[in-house]
Amino acid sequence: MPVKIFSLKNVPDDELEEIRNLLVENKIDYYETPGGNWGISMPAIWLNDDSQSEQAKLLNDQYEQKSSLRIREEYDK
């Protein structure tokens, strides 16, 4: 059963690319759904294999923490 791991609503392109690379580097099989022409669909990254969901969520959490620290450091400068 597919598992949504990352919502793409209002996600900048550079962040989306980093998430994609993270998943590919860790050999996590995923697919994306777009927001559609009117933005009413659910733009997200989904896993094809729910057995990888724990690993993907852990990687996403780690990414969010590193990203948050980087943004704070840039702001402080």
Side-chain angles (χ1 to χ4, degrees), residues 9-21:
K9 192 166 187 151
N10 300 321
V11 174
D13 290 338
D14 60 333
E15 184 177 348
L16 176 56
E17 191 62 30
E18 289 174 359
I19 293 294
R20 286 178 183 139
N21 290 336

Side-chain angles (χ1 to χ4, degrees), residues 15-71:
E15 184 177 348
L16 176 56
E17 191 62 30
E18 289 174 359
I19 293 294
R20 286 178 183 139
N21 290 336
L22 187 63
L23 294 171
V24 169
E25 289 169 5
N26 288 278
K27 296 177 177 49
I28 295 177
D29 189 26
Y30 72 95
Y31 65 96
E32 295 178 39
T33 53
N37 292 336
W38 298 282
I40 58 174
S41 296
M42 181 182 294
I45 292 179
W46 302 78
L47 296 182
N48 288 316
D49 181 0
D50 64 348
S51 70
Q52 295 179 313
S53 64
E54 289 299 320
Q55 180 187 10
K57 288 177 183 179
L58 178 64
L59 289 169
N60 188 37
D61 290 345
Q62 291 171 348
Y63 170 79
E64 291 289 332
Q65 289 174 352
K66 288 178 185 177
S67 179
S68 178
L69 287 174
R70 185 184 74 230
I71 291 169

